[in-house]
Amino acid sequence: MKKLSKTLIVFVITVLLLAACSSKSAEQAGGKNDINLLFNFATSSLDPNVDTSYVSLRAGITETLVHLNDESLKIEPWLAESWSSEDGQTWIIELRNDVTFQNGNPMDGAAVKASLERAMKDSIAIKNALRIESIEAEGHTLTIKTEVPFPEFPSELVHPNTSIIDVTETDFVNKPVGTGPFAVSSFTPKTAVNLVRYDEYWDGTALLETAKFSFNEDANARSLALQSGDADIVFRPEVESLDSLKAIEGMKVESTSTFRVHQMTMNLQRKPLQDINVRKAIDALIDREMVAETILKGHAEVATGPFPSSFSFAPDYPEKKHGIEIARDLLKEAGYTETNNVMQRDGKPLELTLLTYSSRADLPLIAQVFQSDAKQLGIKVTIQQIEIPEEYMAANRDWDLTTYSNLTAPRGDAGYYLNATYHPKGALNFSGANDNQLTEMIDQLNGTVGQQERSDIAEEIAAYVDEQVYNSFILHPNTLVAYNSAKVKNWVTSRSEYYMLTNKLSVN
């Protein structure tokens, strides 16, 4: 009996040790209550006020004052409880009084004021977008005065770069302290950010204990990571891999229309592109239907302008003819002749530098198709790969064209894109557009209240931009997300692409 008891004790201890080892191994491997999301843009900084990949917001580290409802396309309260203005210039914002930062400090008016001021100081783009003249804070109330009447000011507070952080914690690059459901555990630049649940999160403790937001700009590698189980959710898997992913039991692929446009950005400071007929010729060379069907495999809508046709402010554009012969005729009008298979004017060949980047796998392919078609016209196109397009285009003017992807109406309103892309102070005005008539129209839009009135003006602006061919619009790609539905629960593919790791996300 004594011997049996000893045997039983040894057995129990062994089982407990094995269970502990198993638990430890599961924890080291990420555990069941953990998710790894693999994103297509790498970042070297988590600073929410300047990072153009918006990782801190997408990973649930930070939040903004105002939230976009993906279904209604209307803005709604988030960290701000309400807002009001009698004149469109002085705004009273009431903050939630139950929010704390991930270090336990309260999120009050003074903290939000400091965060917004820091964002405007470090990001000229945010300064120009918000147009704030002054901020006063008292308790949980902010009084913000804009430089001019700005009826759509609250919608600008949706922008990820306005994320609220505790500025007393100064390691913004590696460990920003926000109000979201997940706090930073560790960060390896251009590789991954490891996250841990913030138990005191104001909107309900996250269902996940930990999470990982990792990066890989290679679409094929992202697809393989999902197949091997190294990733649970993959943003923009390789288009060619979608059928094989769908064939895997438990794997789900979502293709969702969004507010994004793939465009050919034109550098208007380059002499050839100052001729509208050259810009029209470039536009005519783009075979949109072929690109949508062969490169995006039908997961896109051919673009006629910056805004998808479903928006009320998308004009009915006049039908245009496209093709190499149309482009040749337009270049002839611009004074070019084709001699010995070289398109030239005044003895100088037409040569273009085209920028592209691999984090959106379809853009380099679009660049190659354009390069091939341009060659048939005697135009030499040199493709240059870059890493962060916004940084490169803003700092350099040694390029002519860029295949670029941009969110055009992430707040359900045209004002964001038109201001950012075509206003002289716009954060995304990489073309260098500085057209007085266009600027006046945008300023008129900024001072207009009422959805229908704003839509009418935005439609006029979009039509004018089309007439001037300041950029060339190729297609509206769907957002593609693949994930292991046998494990991942409550994932939502957002049309704005802003909200990814949330407190509702869980595992089966």
Side-chain angles (χ1 to χ4, degrees):
M1 186 72 172
K2 195 171 184 180
K3 185 177 180 181
L4 180 62
S5 298
K6 285 183 179 179
T7 303
L8 183 61
I9 291 170
V10 170
F11 174 78
V12 171
I13 292 173
T14 302
V15 170
L16 290 174
L17 286 172
L18 286 172
C21 290
S22 175
S23 175
K24 187 175 182 181
S25 297
E27 185 179 346
Q28 289 171 342
K32 288 184 66 178
N33 200 15
D34 173 273
I35 279 177
N36 179 20
L37 184 149
L38 189 54
F39 194 56
N40 61 318
F41 273 98
T43 186
S44 56
S45 169
L46 294 179
D47 187 338
N49 299 141
V50 297
D51 173 28
T52 55
S53 296
Y54 310 149
V55 171
S56 287
L57 184 82
R58 286 168 165 157
I61 302 165
T62 62
E63 298 169 309
T64 52
L65 294 177
V66 179
H67 187 274
L68 178 70
N69 185 307
D70 256 20
E71 294 182 6
S72 67
L73 301 185
K74 294 181 179 179
I75 59 174
E76 57 190 18
W78 206 7
L79 294 179
E81 204 166 53
S82 64
W83 52 84
S84 61
S85 176
E86 293 184 358
D87 58 5
Q89 187 168 9
T90 299
W91 294 87
I92 307 299
I93 298 178
E94 298 294 341
L95 304 172
R96 297 188 63 93
N97 60 12
D98 57 351
V99 180
T100 59
F101 292 103
Q102 290 142 2
N103 56 8
N105 290 341
M107 186 210 73
D108 55 16
V112 173
K113 176 179 184 289
S115 181
L116 290 175
E117 288 177 341
R118 189 257 170 182
M120 291 187 292
K121 176 178 177 291
D122 285 24
S123 171
I124 187 66
I126 289 301
K127 180 180 180 181
N128 289 338
L130 298 182
R131 306 180 185 190
I132 291 176
E133 181 179 292
S134 64
I135 306 176
E136 295 179 7
E138 184 175 347
H140 285 80
T141 301
L142 290 177
T143 301
I144 297 179
K145 184 177 181 181
T146 54
E147 297 168 350
V148 294
F150 191 10
E152 291 303 309
F153 171 71
S155 69
E156 291 297 332
L157 298 175
V158 171
H159 197 293
N161 288 149
T162 67
S163 287
I164 304 304
I165 54 174
D166 185 345
V167 299
T168 65
E169 302 277 2
T170 56
D171 191 2
F172 307 117
V173 170
N174 298 296
K175 199 170 184 179
V177 176
T179 60
F182 298 104
V184 178
S185 174
S186 63
F187 172 54
T188 304
K190 296 191 175 182
T191 301
V193 53
N194 291 298
L195 305 157
V196 62
R197 178 170 66 195
Y198 175 48
D199 290 335
E200 303 303 317
Y201 178 54
W202 65 272
D203 198 25
T205 305
L207 299 177
L208 293 175
E209 295 173 3
T210 57
K212 188 174 186 178
F213 197 100
S214 48
F215 319 111
N216 195 317
E217 296 188 348
D218 186 318
N220 180 54
R222 292 196 298 275
S223 295
L224 291 174
L226 185 62
Q227 291 174 347
S228 67
D230 289 336
D232 304 305
I233 306 169
V234 166
F235 197 78
R236 297 206 67 83
E238 187 180 42
V239 175
E240 289 78 8
S241 72
L242 296 183
D243 288 339
S244 60
L245 288 175
K246 291 176 183 177
I248 300 173
E249 186 177 356
M251 203 66 71
K252 188 167 184 180
V253 176
E254 294 184 351
S255 179
T256 307
S257 62
T258 183
F259 319 126
R260 183 171 293 280
V261 69
H262 283 358
Q263 66 184 46
M264 188 76 80
T265 297
M266 303 191 189
N267 183 354
L268 301 177
Q269 294 180 9
R270 303 284 272 189
K271 191 171 181 180
L273 295 176
Q274 292 173 359
D275 190 318
I276 189 171
N277 284 308
V278 174
R279 301 198 298 272
K280 286 182 176 180
I282 288 170
D283 183 78
L285 269 177
I286 300 171
D287 190 340
R288 292 160 173 81
E289 286 79 8
M290 185 275 287
V291 168
E293 289 304 317
T294 62
I295 296 179
L296 274 294
K297 307 295 182 185
H299 294 280
E301 172 192 341
V302 169
T304 52
F307 307 115
S309 57
S310 56
F311 283 110
S312 61
F313 40 79
D316 292 325
Y317 295 99
E319 186 176 352
K320 300 174 193 167
K321 294 181 180 180
H322 295 90
I324 290 177
E325 293 307 316
I326 300 297
R328 181 179 276 112
D329 291 342
L330 288 164
L331 289 173
K332 186 177 180 180
E333 288 187 44
Y336 285 86
T337 57
E338 193 174 353
T339 306
N340 297 324
N341 296 320
V342 176
M343 189 64 68
Q344 54 187 289
R345 185 172 65 181
D346 301 327
K348 187 175 181 180
L350 179 57
E351 298 180 350
L352 303 171
T353 297
L354 172 58
L355 306 179
T356 192
Y357 49 102
S358 60
S359 50
R360 293 195 179 276
D362 31 340
L363 295 183
L365 297 176
I366 293 172
Q368 290 169 22
V369 169
F370 180 82
Q371 181 188 51
S372 176
D373 290 342
K375 186 177 181 180
Q376 295 182 54
L377 267 182
I379 303 172
K380 180 182 178 182
V381 175
T382 300
I383 296 176
Q384 180 181 338
Q385 289 276 348
I386 56 176
E387 285 193 19
I388 304 175
E390 292 83 6
E391 290 183 6
Y392 190 94
M393 288 191 287
N396 302 278
R397 307 308 291 169
D398 58 352
W399 54 276
D400 301 286
L401 306 168
T402 304
T403 54
Y404 182 60
S405 189
N406 193 12
L407 285 167
T408 57
R411 276 77 114 186
D413 184 88
Y416 160 75
Y417 174 80
L418 297 176
N419 273 279
T421 310
Y422 300 107
H423 198 283
K425 293 183 178 181
L428 304 178
N429 187 359
F430 305 122
S431 292
N434 193 356
D435 180 324
N436 289 337
Q437 181 177 343
L438 180 56
T439 303
E440 288 177 8
M441 294 168 75
I442 295 172
D443 286 339
Q444 181 187 0
L445 174 67
N446 292 337
T448 300
V449 182
Q451 184 175 353
Q452 186 58 53
E453 291 82 357
R454 290 180 60 80
S455 290
D456 290 344
I457 298 172
E459 189 175 342
E460 291 178 18
I461 297 172
Y464 181 82
V465 167
D466 176 67
E467 290 171 7
Q468 300 302 315
V469 200
Y470 283 147
N471 288 308
S472 188
F473 307 100
I474 305 170
L475 51 83
H476 302 291
N478 286 4
T479 292
L480 297 173
V481 176
Y483 62 95
N484 180 4
S485 64
K487 176 181 178 181
V488 178
K489 186 178 178 182
N490 300 332
W491 167 261
V492 176
T493 301
S494 77
R495 296 175 66 192
S496 66
E497 302 178 3
Y498 285 168
Y499 315 115
M500 296 184 183
L501 296 185
T502 70
N503 63 325
K504 308 297 183 187
L505 195 61
S506 183
V507 294
N508 286 313

